[in-house]
Amino acid sequence: APGVHQLASLLVELDASDEASRILCADALYQMGCVEEAHKLLLLALSGNPQRSPILARLALLQLKKGFLYDGNQLLKKVIRIGDTSCLLPIMDIFKDEDRKLMQTQCHFRALTILK
């Protein structure tokens, strides 16, 4: 993760508008346990395009991880409303086991609520 972070940081420096590099950098920060820095970077990336499901899904996890269930649920709702949920499965590979279970539980809970 540290090497990926260094590479992604260099890519962001070369092209500050490159969303993929920002996401890669945020993922590396998350893997290194720097959740707040990852959160800030994702918010910055989201400011350029507020309808990006991959960014919203990552932010949802970080909110859930911090215990902000309402905020996490709102972000998950937004991903569902956008209709691009295909980003969720690849992102689950990035999440740590405990966070993956947290996200799966929360998504399952939201799905049951919607069905009711």
Side-chain angles (χ1 to χ4, degrees):
V4 172
H5 177 257
Q6 289 177 342
L7 176 61
S9 295
L10 287 172
L11 292 172
V12 169
E13 284 182 32
L14 290 173
D15 183 2
S17 66
D18 183 21
E19 183 179 286
S21 295
R22 285 187 188 194
I23 291 173
L24 183 62
C25 192
D27 287 347
L29 286 167
Y30 162 79
Q31 286 294 325
M32 294 186 313
C34 303
V35 176
E36 287 301 318
E37 290 87 352
H39 188 260
K40 289 175 188 174
L41 195 57
L42 289 169
L43 287 176
L44 187 60
L46 190 64
S47 67
N49 186 354
Q51 300 296 315
R52 290 286 297 144
S53 292
I55 298 170
L56 292 169
R58 285 170 171 85
L59 283 170
L61 169 79
L62 296 179
Q63 293 296 75
L64 294 173
K65 185 173 178 65
K66 292 186 211 177
F68 300 133
L69 298 181
Y70 179 80
D71 295 335
N73 284 336
Q74 293 304 311
L75 289 166
L76 287 173
K77 281 183 188 179
K78 196 168 186 178
V79 170
I80 292 166
R81 268 189 255 124
I82 291 170
D84 182 16
T85 57
S86 63
C87 67
L88 289 172
L89 282 177
I91 291 172
M92 294 300 260
D93 291 337
I94 296 165
F95 294 161
K96 296 176 183 174
D97 286 338
E98 71 230 22
D99 295 335
R100 187 178 308 120
K101 289 176 186 167
L102 175 66
M103 183 68 120
Q104 287 171 337
T105 301
Q106 197 62 27
C107 287
H108 184 255
F109 174 75
R110 290 296 313 144
L112 289 177
T113 303
I114 291 168
L115 289 174
K116 288 178 183 177

